[in-house]
Amino acid sequence: MNHFHKKTVFALVFAAIITGVTSQQLPAQTFRLTPEKDATIKVLGSSNVHDWTLTSSAMESQGEFKIDENQLHSIAAFTFSVNAKSLKSEHESMDSRTYKTMKADQYPKVTYKLASATINPAGKNKYQVKATGDLTIAGVTQTIIMNITATVNPDNTITVTGSENLKLTDYKIEPPSFMLGAMKVKNDLTIQFNLTYKNNQLLTKNL
């Protein structure tokens, strides 16, 4: 190996090391959910009679993101909560039954807390995130693994989208039946979310 080639290899290795160290030393920035971005969460289910959807935009959430030059390096922390009684369908009677089934008076919030996240690039300013965390429904906590898409937007906000399949019985909720058993809710649910986060410092300045 000639002298010039040795210097080139050394320079590349040194640059890689410096880049890795810089990434690890990046401070985590707090991002909060921005309701004005039409943040939504949906719960989709079905019965032997018809499909149904519950929707809410009454959520609280924030994350600790390490981000530099529109590049997402890591997620140090993430929390999310939604008021159970903010989930609405097209029918009030169904909503009241849902709240009773979820024990919403006793456990008013559905919460999620991230334990760890693995991030892989999936395109320009887009990332696939494998998130492991604790989801609590009706007072019962289960550890779940979700595959999430995170996008760093041109305005420096971060949009998080994804879905997760759940079973009511995993949270000790028996699928209810109504109308003397004529309508039976199925055990499977799908949660879909589209959430956008803004740097807390910028969000505070705009208040």
Side-chain angles (χ1 to χ4, degrees):
M1 184 182 295
N2 60 46
H3 182 67
F4 175 78
H5 188 56
K6 286 182 179 179
K7 291 178 65 176
T8 302
V9 171
F10 177 79
L12 291 173
V13 172
F14 181 75
I17 293 173
I18 291 298
T19 300
V21 170
T22 301
S23 174
Q24 292 177 3
Q25 292 179 343
L26 282 173
Q29 303 172 53
T30 301
F31 282 70
R32 285 196 297 166
L33 186 65
T34 57
E36 68 270 16
K37 292 286 188 178
D38 297 323
T40 57
I41 185 168
K42 295 181 179 181
V43 180
L44 288 73
S46 62
S47 70
N48 62 321
V49 177
H50 58 75
D51 295 340
W52 48 267
T53 301
L54 300 170
T55 304
S56 176
S57 56
M59 300 165 283
E60 294 181 355
S61 181
Q62 70 176 38
E64 302 291 328
F65 297 91
K66 288 188 178 183
I67 185 171
D68 180 54
E69 296 182 353
N70 280 349
Q71 301 296 310
L72 178 62
H73 295 279
S74 69
I75 304 174
F78 183 89
T79 58
F80 173 91
S81 69
V82 59
N83 292 321
K85 289 188 176 182
S86 72
L87 291 162
K88 303 288 185 182
S89 69
E90 296 180 350
H91 306 284
E92 289 187 10
S93 59
M94 179 180 172
D95 294 345
S96 61
R97 292 167 180 166
T98 299
Y99 305 150
K100 183 178 180 180
T101 300
M102 295 178 64
K103 306 174 186 176
D105 287 333
Q106 185 178 0
Y107 304 104
K109 290 183 179 292
V110 175
T111 64
Y112 174 83
K113 184 177 181 180
L114 180 73
S116 63
T118 302
I119 300 174
N120 291 300
K124 184 177 180 182
N125 298 332
K126 185 172 289 188
Y127 303 86
Q128 289 297 320
V129 181
K130 183 178 180 180
T132 302
D134 292 331
L135 177 65
T136 301
I137 303 174
V140 177
T141 300
Q142 294 286 351
T143 299
I144 62 174
I145 298 175
M146 294 189 292
N147 292 309
I148 298 168
T149 299
T151 303
V152 181
N153 303 308
D155 61 356
N156 292 318
T157 59
I158 299 174
T159 298
V160 177
T161 60
S163 66
E164 179 66 16
N165 297 323
L166 305 173
K167 291 185 180 297
L168 288 171
T169 50
D170 288 343
Y171 295 86
K172 298 183 179 180
I173 298 174
E174 287 300 319
S177 61
F178 308 105
M179 298 182 291
L180 301 177
M183 176 180 175
K184 298 179 180 180
V185 174
K186 294 184 179 180
N187 193 28
D188 298 300
L189 298 178
T190 299
I191 297 177
Q192 297 178 346
F193 48 89
N194 188 330
L195 312 170
T196 297
Y197 295 79
K198 189 172 185 179
N199 190 301
N200 188 52
Q201 292 180 340
L202 298 177
L203 198 60
T204 304
K205 289 179 181 179
N206 294 331
L207 295 179

